[in-house]
């Protein structure tokens, strides 16, 4: 595939429901990142994967947020018991290696919690 | 205090103008500096990537890093309406893997 692919592009859910957001990184990229972008704000780091391990989960805002990655492929970000403040664009990026390398972003999933 | 500060704008300029976008930062360990362009409802797209201090030019775009002042800039020459977007600065250290972003500056170039 050409770039980072995210699905769904838009998700509307009711408060209290669980949601799953999916990211397909660029083929061969070992590093994968999740960021959150609230309206009018910069990107906020959530979690980083190297392969299928997550050395840095420091940005996950609460235990309602979790993520996993299968090998060096697809990652899923799960938000349980969604709250209105979870409404944001969730962006995924991938990079060929770690450590200061260029990150390539997907178009994001726009999550609206009603 | 945020690690990276960026004026949110909006900045409105006529076509052909020179645009200057800036960020300041507080962490002296930052070594890699990037500028991303983000069109509405799209993901950020890398424009410029600079390691340490100095200048880098690519077409109409010039990135400058002044580590002594903890200040980075992006200059756009001969600005075009297609340059209208939000410009995000981002930076990181070698030993960490997360990018720290500014809030973004919204740029509008009118014909």
């Amino acid at each position: 595939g050409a770039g980072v692919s995210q699905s769904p592009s838009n998700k509307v859910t009711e408060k209290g429901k669980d949601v799953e957001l999916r990211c397909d990184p660029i083929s061969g990229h070992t590093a994968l990142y999740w960021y959150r972008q609230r309206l009018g704000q910069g990107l906020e780091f959530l979690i980083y994967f190297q392969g299928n391990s997550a050395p840095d989960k420091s940005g996950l805002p609460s235990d309602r947020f979790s993520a996993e990655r299968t090998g060096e492929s697809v990652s899923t970000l799960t938000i349980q018991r969604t709250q209105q403040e979870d409404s944001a664009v969730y962006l995924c990026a991938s990079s060929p290696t770690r450590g200061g390398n260029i990150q390539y972003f997907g178009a994001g999933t726009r999550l609206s919690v009603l | 205090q945020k690690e990276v500060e960026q004026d949110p704008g909006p900045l409105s300029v006529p076509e052909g103008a020179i645009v200057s976008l800036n960020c300041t930062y507080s962490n002296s360990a930052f070594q890699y500096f990037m500028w991303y362009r983000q069109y509405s409802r799209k993901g950020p797209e890398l424009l410029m990537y600079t390691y340490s201090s100095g200048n880098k030019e690519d077409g109409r775009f010039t990135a400058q890093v002044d580590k002594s002042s903890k200040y980075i800039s992006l200059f756009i020459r001969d600005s075009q309406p297609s340059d209208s977007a939000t410009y995000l600065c981002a930076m990181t250290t070698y030993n960490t893997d997360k990018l720290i972003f500014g809030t973004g500056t919204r740029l509008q170039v009118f014909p």
Side-chain angles (χ1 to χ4, degrees), chain B residues 57-106:
Chain B
E57 187 173 321
D58 184 1
R60 296 184 296 110
F61 299 91
T62 299
Q64 288 185 350
V65 175
D66 182 349
K67 290 191 72 179
S68 62
S69 301
K70 298 191 182 68
Y71 187 88
I72 69 170
S73 301
L74 177 71
F75 296 96
I76 307 174
R77 289 184 300 281
D78 188 25
S79 56
Q80 302 295 309
S82 58
D83 295 328
S84 298
T86 295
Y87 290 79
L88 298 149
C89 64
M91 46 200 80
T92 188
T93 70
Y94 180 76
N95 291 326
T96 62
D97 300 277
K98 58 186 177 185
L99 294 178
I100 307 300
F101 281 85
T103 53
T105 299
R106 191 156 59 92

Side-chain angles (χ1 to χ4, degrees), chain A residues 50-87:
Chain A
Q50 182 64 30
N52 63 4
S53 67
D56 190 351
K57 306 178 185 179
S58 62
L60 293 178
S62 75
D63 58 8
R64 296 187 296 105
F65 287 72
S66 63
E68 61 179 24
R69 186 180 184 195
T70 307
E72 294 184 354
S73 183
V74 172
S75 176
T76 303
L77 177 68
T78 301
I79 309 173
Q80 295 178 309
R81 304 182 303 282
T82 52
Q83 303 294 311
Q84 286 184 332
E85 62 262 28
D86 299 333
S87 296

Side-chain angles (χ1 to χ4, degrees), chain A residues 10 33 35 37 40-45 48 50 56 58 91 97-108 110, chain B residues 2 8 32 34 36 38 40-46 49 88 92-104:
Chain A
N10 288 283
Y33 310 80
Y35 293 85
Q37 186 175 30
Q41 301 295 314
L43 279 70
E44 173 191 8
F45 169 80
Y48 152 66
Q50 182 64 30
D56 190 351
S58 62
L91 289 154
T97 60
R98 63 169 300 175
N101 221 301
I102 294 170
Q103 297 180 20
Y104 299 88
F105 283 83
R110 185 172 299 271
Chain B
K2 290 182 180 177
Y32 299 89
M34 288 143 253
Y36 282 85
Q38 186 175 26
S40 180
R41 296 186 173 262
K42 301 288 187 184
E45 166 197 13
L46 183 71
Y49 177 89
L88 298 149
T92 188
T93 70
Y94 180 76
N95 291 326
T96 62
D97 300 277
K98 58 186 177 185
L99 294 178
I100 307 300
F101 281 85
T103 53

Side-chain angles (χ1 to χ4, degrees), chain A residues 10-19 21 36 38 64-65 79-90 109-114:
Chain A
N10 288 283
K11 177 71 177 180
V12 180
T13 190
E14 293 179 351
K15 178 181 171 181
K17 301 280 190 184
D18 297 352
V19 295
L21 312 180
R36 177 170 70 177
R38 289 182 161 138
R64 296 187 296 105
F65 287 72
I79 309 173
Q80 295 178 309
R81 304 182 303 282
T82 52
Q83 303 294 311
Q84 286 184 332
E85 62 262 28
D86 299 333
S87 296
V89 177
Y90 290 82
T109 294
R110 185 172 299 271
L111 175 66
S112 298
V113 182
L114 304 179

